[in-house]
Amino acid sequence: PPPPPLLLPDRALARKRRASASVQRLSHETPSDDDNVRPRHVGQHVERQFTPEMRGSSRETVIVQSAGAENAETALQVSTRRDIVAATQDTRSSHEPGDGAQVREAAWLAARSGDTQYTAMASAVQIRAETKAREGVHTAWRLYRVISGHQGWVRSVAVDPSNSWFASGSADRTIKAWDLASGTLKLTLTGHVGGVRALVLSHRHPYLFSAGDDNQVKCWDLEYNKVVRHYHGHLSGVYAAALHPALDVLATGGRDSTVRIWDIRTKQQVHALASHRDVVNAILTDSSDPQIISASADKTIRLWDLAAGKSMRTLTNHRKGIRALAHFPAAAACAADLDGVRSFASASADRIKTWELPDGNFWRNMSSDVTHDRIVHALACNEDGLLVSGDDAGSIGFFDYSSAAQTQRLHAQVQPGSLASEAAILCVAFDQTGLRLITGEADKSIKMWKPES
């Protein structure tokens, strides 16, 4: 029998999801005390915004887009005040390792269950993050699970918005879905005729986008577990993909040195951004300008004007090809007293560098205890401001983003039967809570890491 769908096949819900428009940011509305934050399901969008006023008044703005809303343009804003003096005192007075992780986990579970105390717990998480950022404290991480199942290098990892499963793409031409809690295999998707290089899960639709060495970009409907759209245009392998956070737009790039912008509904190519002179290895998207950021093996990073389809600025500080990009989350910036600062990190064999947006001004280099002759393949940053890198020697570096200081370095052990040269970390990703780290490696394994308790 065919495998069960990853998402419930509710046809009416699927139609409404597909008709959903961009999340509207509503403000200056005060709902009644009876408003509750509903649990997050596929088709809903939950956004937490922390500002200095909110930190001081324990106020949180949560925007929820309901999949069952009759009007696709309607969004529900819940803005509540809670007395969190006790939670605040407990969080500020406790500094044992793992305490912040427990608070964040409790907040995530409260959100999933629809508990009205979610606001208080989320505020406690924010206060804890502020304290950790000021003190430069980050809990040590450790390996707790190794997953085997792929027959080739694991090139890409993506975590579902529900935080219940994650997908991995491999050089064995398959996409596998794994249970995040147990690590068991849920589903295998086949259809690519080349290695799978990039995976993106949509927060707005029940879609998984994949790209690979076979020049193909595919859209998978997770209610049917099959391909529903193909995006044709790349002339060679596709190495990077990213979804716009507010628009139904997909950006892809690869060996043809071109960043292509697609309308995911009509399958039409909107722009072909052809200014790079070598392979495009990484792409970031943002709702504010520059909405597209691309990194290439030609040693440059380009900031793009999405509306005009032109390059706004070219960053040339790197001396070697750039393999990875990562956003600095807004919540982490707020916690580190960097309110309003937008930033991203880039990595190559020479350095991990950080940049300020929207102008692309160079910020700083990350400190490191290793020589800069390793190729950094992957970067990821969580809301605690912890930046993680993975390189071709199997080394995982942990950095405090705001201070640029290295806090820890781990070395992944290759699996029995693998060569020592197959220790490379090819992709890294945090789960939705930022408390679990997933790495894909050249020894064909997936490793999972968590903070020490």
Side-chain angles (χ1 to χ4, degrees), residues 41-206:
H41 300 290
V42 174
Q44 289 184 328
H45 181 78
V46 179
E47 178 178 341
R48 291 180 297 172
Q49 295 176 328
F50 295 102
T51 65
E53 293 77 11
M54 294 175 187
R55 291 207 309 275
S57 62
S58 305
R59 178 169 182 166
E60 182 187 41
T61 300
V62 181
I63 301 176
V64 181
Q65 183 187 29
S66 173
E70 293 297 327
N71 185 355
E73 296 290 333
T74 302
L76 173 66
Q77 178 182 14
V78 181
S79 179
T80 57
R81 293 179 180 270
R82 296 286 186 270
D83 182 8
I84 61 165
V85 175
T88 302
Q89 292 174 345
D90 290 343
T91 334
R92 281 179 170 165
S93 62
S94 176
H95 301 289
E96 286 84 7
D99 182 60
Q102 295 172 1
V103 174
R104 184 182 286 276
E105 189 76 42
W108 177 261
L109 293 174
R112 290 289 305 277
S113 64
D115 193 341
T116 56
Q117 295 301 314
Y118 167 64
T119 302
M121 297 304 295
S123 299
V125 169
Q126 178 64 12
I127 294 168
R128 176 59 179 163
E130 292 176 12
T131 304
K132 289 171 65 178
R134 284 194 295 268
E135 297 177 355
V137 175
H138 283 291
T139 305
W141 288 62
R142 65 178 178 85
L143 175 69
Y144 76 98
R145 178 177 294 142
V146 178
I147 300 174
S148 299
H150 280 294
Q151 302 302 313
W153 292 6
V154 181
R155 289 281 192 176
S156 55
V157 171
V159 180
D160 181 66
S162 68
N163 210 43
S164 60
W165 59 276
F166 69 92
S168 61
S170 170
D172 63 7
R173 302 173 297 194
T174 66
I175 301 168
K176 294 182 181 289
W178 310 86
D179 185 82
L180 189 62
S182 64
T184 56
L185 180 64
K186 296 168 68 72
L187 180 69
T188 299
L189 300 174
T190 59
H192 279 280
V193 294
V196 179
R197 288 275 192 154
L199 294 176
V200 187
L201 280 159
S202 173
H203 286 67
R204 295 156 44 79
H205 305 289

Side-chain angles (χ1 to χ4, degrees), residues 122-332:
S123 299
V125 169
Q126 178 64 12
I127 294 168
R128 176 59 179 163
E130 292 176 12
T131 304
K132 289 171 65 178
R134 284 194 295 268
E135 297 177 355
V137 175
H138 283 291
T139 305
W141 288 62
R142 65 178 178 85
L143 175 69
Y144 76 98
R145 178 177 294 142
V146 178
I147 300 174
S148 299
H150 280 294
Q151 302 302 313
W153 292 6
V154 181
R155 289 281 192 176
S156 55
V157 171
V159 180
D160 181 66
S162 68
N163 210 43
S164 60
W165 59 276
F166 69 92
S168 61
S170 170
D172 63 7
R173 302 173 297 194
T174 66
I175 301 168
K176 294 182 181 289
W178 310 86
D179 185 82
L180 189 62
S182 64
T184 56
L185 180 64
K186 296 168 68 72
L187 180 69
T188 299
L189 300 174
T190 59
H192 279 280
V193 294
V196 179
R197 288 275 192 154
L199 294 176
V200 187
L201 280 159
S202 173
H203 286 67
R204 295 156 44 79
H205 305 289
Y207 294 152
L208 166 68
F209 296 89
S210 63
D213 292 327
D214 52 6
N215 310 358
Q216 298 184 31
V217 180
K218 298 176 181 289
C219 175
W220 303 79
D221 189 325
L222 298 180
E223 292 176 340
Y224 302 93
N225 299 335
K226 66 179 183 180
V227 177
V228 293
R229 294 185 182 97
H230 293 268
Y231 303 92
H232 299 288
H234 278 286
L235 306 178
S236 192
V238 187
Y239 289 179
L243 276 171
H244 195 284
L247 304 174
D248 289 334
V249 167
L250 175 71
T252 58
R255 291 186 62 188
D256 58 5
S257 309
T258 303
V259 178
R260 300 182 187 273
I261 311 299
W262 310 90
D263 185 322
I264 66 173
R265 298 162 299 179
T266 65
K267 302 181 289 185
Q268 296 299 312
Q269 180 177 286
V270 180
H271 292 300
L273 311 177
S275 293
H276 284 294
R277 294 172 297 164
D278 209 332
V279 178
V280 176
N281 288 317
I283 298 174
L284 290 180
T285 58
D286 201 344
S287 55
S288 302
D289 286 330
Q291 298 184 55
I292 304 292
I293 304 172
S294 61
S296 170
D298 64 7
K299 311 174 190 176
T300 67
I301 300 170
R302 289 187 178 268
L303 313 183
W304 301 90
D305 183 333
L306 181 59
K310 297 181 179 179
S311 176
M312 299 168 54
R313 185 172 179 184
T314 303
L315 312 180
T316 59
N317 295 49
H318 280 286
R319 294 173 302 190
K320 296 185 179 180
I322 304 157
R323 295 292 188 102
L325 298 173
H327 266 305
F328 183 38

Side-chain angles (χ1 to χ4, degrees), residues 260-423:
R260 300 182 187 273
I261 311 299
W262 310 90
D263 185 322
I264 66 173
R265 298 162 299 179
T266 65
K267 302 181 289 185
Q268 296 299 312
Q269 180 177 286
V270 180
H271 292 300
L273 311 177
S275 293
H276 284 294
R277 294 172 297 164
D278 209 332
V279 178
V280 176
N281 288 317
I283 298 174
L284 290 180
T285 58
D286 201 344
S287 55
S288 302
D289 286 330
Q291 298 184 55
I292 304 292
I293 304 172
S294 61
S296 170
D298 64 7
K299 311 174 190 176
T300 67
I301 300 170
R302 289 187 178 268
L303 313 183
W304 301 90
D305 183 333
L306 181 59
K310 297 181 179 179
S311 176
M312 299 168 54
R313 185 172 179 184
T314 303
L315 312 180
T316 59
N317 295 49
H318 280 286
R319 294 173 302 190
K320 296 185 179 180
I322 304 157
R323 295 292 188 102
L325 298 173
H327 266 305
F328 183 38
C334 188
D337 294 330
L338 298 172
D339 302 339
V341 172
R342 296 171 54 220
S343 176
F344 73 96
S346 60
S348 71
D350 58 351
R351 284 283 188 177
I352 298 175
K353 300 178 182 291
T354 56
W355 313 81
E356 294 180 350
L357 293 172
D359 297 327
N361 296 324
F362 173 71
W363 189 4
R364 61 181 62 161
N365 289 316
M366 288 290 171
S367 301
S368 178
D369 61 0
V370 299
T371 57
H372 301 288
D373 57 355
R374 299 178 179 180
I375 299 174
V376 178
H377 291 286
L379 288 177
C381 188
N382 67 6
E383 292 190 355
D384 283 333
L386 181 66
L387 180 70
V388 174
S389 67
D391 62 36
D392 62 347
S395 175
I396 306 174
F398 295 80
F399 304 87
D400 180 71
Y401 196 103
S402 58
S403 67
Q406 179 178 303
T407 61
Q408 187 181 6
R409 184 164 292 277
L410 299 175
H411 295 272
Q413 299 296 320
V414 297
Q415 295 306 293
S418 299
L419 301 175
S421 59
E422 293 181 319

